[in-house]
Each structure stands twice: as C-alpha cells, then as structure tokens.
Amino acid sequence: MPNKNVDDYLQEGIYGKKELKPEERKRFLGTLRERVVLALTQAQVMEKNIYPEAEQAMKANPQAYILINGNLDFSYQIKYIKAANKHGLKYTIVNNTEHNSDIGLLIAYDHAVDKPEIFISRKTTAGTVSKKPARKGLFQKIKSVFSKS
C-alpha cells in the first residue's frame, strides 16, 4: 500500500475517500461495468413482462445480486423483486438523487466478470409490434377530395 502523506489524509477527511471511475459508477448504479452480467435500460424494465434473458441470468448466476434503479416507479420494480426472491438473489434499490441513470436494472457480482456484451437488445417481432396505418389529417383529407375531382 502506498504511503500517504498528511495532505492525503486531509483531502480524504474533507472530500471523502477517492472513488475509482465515479462517472461509470453513476451510470451503473454504484458498481463498475466489469462486474455486470446483464443490464436493462429503464424503458426495458418498464415493459409489461420480465425479460426472459433477465430471468435466465438470475437462474444461471445464483451468487450475483440485483441493483434496481430507485427512480423507477415501484410498480415496475416489483416484478423484478419477485423474480429475485424466486431465484434467491439479493437485491438493492439504488436511489441517486444527483444522477438519473439510463440503466433500470443490473445483475452483477462484487468482483469482475468482464462479460463483453451486457445489454439486451429489444426484440421486435412481427407478432409483437403492430404498425398502425398512418392517420390522415384534415388537410390531407381535403387535398385528397379535391385531387379526385
């Protein structure tokens, strides 16, 4: 351990302990990216159903823990809390009033796992996304009536 001088102790006393990668910790709900197995955005957590990949990751990583963004409404958090309890994982709701991360949920360890891809891309299949026909505005309706004459 490197020797600390008096100035280091004073700085630590005034500002607190130096934190590694503070911006990364803000985004990843207080942990480091290298510790994350799976990440869901806030929008993904707010979807109606639990992502099957999240459930699979919970099952496959029984020693991991879950971090849930506390800025999300409890109605979105509860389905993942129930899943964590079902699989015996500990969870923490992370409240950061200074920074609202785009991350909604993380499955992580307390050590590095260095998984190359942690984000789940949205699945859009023909059966789940229905495209509504574009509605015509008043101007377009009038224009089509006059163009037919």
Side-chain angles (χ1 to χ4, degrees):
M1 186 167 152
N3 292 335
K4 288 185 178 182
N5 62 29
V6 174
D7 191 45
D8 290 337
Y9 283 108
L10 288 173
Q11 292 296 323
E12 193 174 295
I14 295 169
Y15 299 110
K17 229 176 183 170
K18 286 185 180 178
E19 192 175 82
L20 295 175
K21 302 181 182 181
E23 290 304 313
E24 184 175 316
R25 286 183 185 271
K26 284 179 187 173
R27 178 161 191 236
F28 288 97
L29 305 177
T31 193
L32 299 169
R33 191 246 177 256
E34 66 190 18
R35 298 176 177 183
V36 177
V37 174
L38 180 130
L40 295 177
T41 64
Q42 284 194 35
Q44 289 172 319
V45 173
M46 291 190 292
E47 290 180 15
K48 184 177 181 183
N49 296 318
I50 290 180
Y51 270 66
E53 295 90 345
E55 191 110 35
Q56 290 166 358
M58 289 180 202
K59 194 179 216 180
N61 298 282
Q63 300 301 314
Y65 58 90
I66 296 179
L67 297 171
I68 303 170
N69 191 327
N71 292 323
L72 290 168
D73 189 75
F74 187 71
S75 63
Y76 301 122
Q77 297 174 5
I78 190 66
K79 61 188 171 210
Y80 286 98
I81 290 171
K82 286 179 180 177
N85 287 332
K86 174 182 166 186
H87 295 288
L89 273 73
K90 295 178 182 174
Y91 67 89
T92 303
I93 297 173
V94 180
N95 292 308
N96 186 346
T97 55
E98 296 173 18
H99 180 77
N100 188 10
S101 173
D102 62 325
I103 305 286
L105 177 131
L106 295 174
I107 299 175
Y109 283 92
D110 58 359
H111 59 275
V113 290
D114 288 320
K115 190 169 177 200
E117 188 54 48
I118 60 170
F119 289 98
I120 303 299
S121 55
R122 267 183 217 269
K123 290 189 169 72
T124 54
T125 61
T128 58
V129 177
S130 60
K131 198 167 188 177
K132 293 181 181 178
R135 292 180 50 179
K136 290 185 177 181
L138 179 62
F139 181 73
Q140 290 172 330
K141 288 179 184 176
I142 294 170
K143 184 177 175 184
S144 66
V145 169
F146 285 112
S147 64
K148 288 181 184 177
S149 346

